[in-house]
Amino acid sequence: MARPIIVTCGEPAGIGPEIAPQLLAAGLPFAWLGDPRHLPQGTAFSVIEDLSDLSGVAPDRLAVLRHDFAAPATPGQPDPANAAGVIAVIERAVALALSGQAGGVCTLPIHKKALKDGADFAFPGHTEFLAHLAGGVDVAMMLASTSVSPPCRVVPATIHLPLAQVPAALTAPVLEQAIRITHAALIRDFGIAEPRLAVAGLNPHAGEGGAMGGEEIAWMIPLLDRLRAEGLSLSGPLPADTMFHAPARARYDAAICGYHDQALIPIKTLDFAGGVNVTLGLPFPRTSPDHGTAFDIAGKGIADAGSAIAALRMAADMAEARERG
């Protein structure tokens, strides 16, 4: 049997607990790591001591690696008392992945403010914390589609920055790191032997020969030329507004974009419910659904598990690609 994926509980007051039982629809070996008190009433589950017990769990029951929290959960109302438990679950999941017991990690959404208020969480989010737990490795964030063809995979070289700060933050070393991490991950995690990367220009029309901005001429073209000389298959810098229709996507395996919205608007338009967040560069596969805690609908039984199911399947596919590797 393939090594199971660990699904972390995320914020207990969010939609994570009600999504967890729906993940059984993926038909894949996984264990949910969290406090069973937080699961929806009536959830059929079996507590296991370790992942070797997973084979004995009936396919219609949720396998639970129990991790007791300080308090019960009220949908829509995060409790600071549970912040330490959320953090500890992530740490435990990473330890299982690093030890080889788990094939990878699929994280359900956390609430950063609740973690900061309740446990002085010092990281901007999941991604930075996972990189820290993995030994301070360099990572990149990819959003990958699961229900459009050709696929849409985007990597923003800068992420959560005000737009006014992007031109100074997007430097040649930053863009080069995103390109190299993505290239290696497409080989290791997606089984693409010779990845093709498209790189978006920073400015409209990719600068239009300097008429609409100079970054492309000043440093982007020299960087891409140098990397092409090493053997990387790169196109660009390209006008971002013509990169994401189907014929364009057929010409590359992933797009490297300059900033958050340049990358995320196209994928969320093309595949809003099926997008998956992937952390590239970690020593284990990590995915998450492309949505947050959704406190406004938590506990109402209406949360859409589609993105979480897609994230679990992608984590399993990435683990299999690494096994073949």
Side-chain angles (χ1 to χ4, degrees), residues 6-303:
I6 298 296
V7 176
T8 61
C9 61
E11 168 54 54
I15 61 174
E18 60 197 274
I19 283 176
Q22 299 179 56
L23 295 177
L24 292 170
L28 296 167
F30 76 95
W32 182 79
L33 179 54
D35 191 328
R37 294 181 301 165
H38 299 158
L39 292 169
Q41 188 172 6
T43 298
F45 67 89
S46 296
V47 174
I48 59 176
E49 294 299 321
D50 57 54
L51 293 177
S52 64
D53 298 334
L54 191 61
S55 58
V57 178
D60 61 346
R61 297 179 69 85
L62 182 67
V64 173
L65 281 171
R66 182 170 179 168
H67 194 99
D68 292 336
F69 277 55
T74 302
Q77 300 178 33
D79 188 338
N82 283 329
V86 173
I87 295 168
V89 161
I90 299 169
E91 292 172 336
R92 187 174 166 190
V94 169
L96 288 167
L98 290 175
S99 70
Q101 297 176 67
V105 177
C106 176
T107 60
L108 296 185
I110 59 174
H111 190 254
K112 272 78 78 177
K113 184 177 187 304
L115 298 186
K116 184 176 181 179
D117 291 347
D120 293 325
F121 190 61
F123 298 88
H126 254 133
T127 301
E128 295 82 1
F129 187 39
L130 292 165
H132 166 74
L133 294 175
V137 296
D138 291 326
V139 297
M141 180 180 82
M142 172 186 280
L143 276 296
S145 68
T146 58
S147 59
V148 297
S149 182
C152 183
R153 304 184 186 100
V154 295
V155 176
T158 66
I159 306 177
H160 295 121
L161 289 177
L163 190 58
Q165 296 179 16
V166 169
L170 183 64
T171 62
V174 167
L175 184 59
E176 180 175 354
Q177 177 173 291
I179 290 170
R180 291 191 182 278
I181 291 174
T182 305
H183 181 267
L186 288 172
I187 296 171
R188 180 174 62 175
D189 295 330
F190 292 85
I192 300 172
E194 297 182 0
R196 303 164 301 161
L197 302 181
V199 180
L202 174 64
N203 298 294
H205 299 186
E208 200 165 288
M212 295 188 183
E215 287 85 355
E216 289 79 7
I217 292 174
W219 62 265
M220 293 182 77
I221 291 173
L223 168 65
L224 299 187
D225 285 345
R226 175 167 61 82
L227 296 178
R228 288 188 191 101
E230 293 184 16
L232 275 69
S233 177
L234 300 171
S235 56
L238 300 172
D241 61 351
T242 59
M243 285 177 60
F244 295 102
H245 61 292
R249 298 199 311 275
R251 295 193 288 268
Y252 60 82
D253 300 302
I256 312 295
C257 298
Y259 53 93
H260 183 277
D261 285 8
Q262 192 181 56
L264 271 64
I265 286 174
I267 190 165
K268 291 194 175 186
T269 301
L270 291 166
D271 196 12
F272 186 80
V276 174
N277 184 352
V278 185
T279 303
L280 308 180
L282 291 171
F284 53 86
R286 181 266 172 156
T287 64
S288 70
D290 186 24
H291 60 69
T293 52
F295 288 138
D296 57 326
I297 63 169
K300 296 181 180 179
I302 60 174

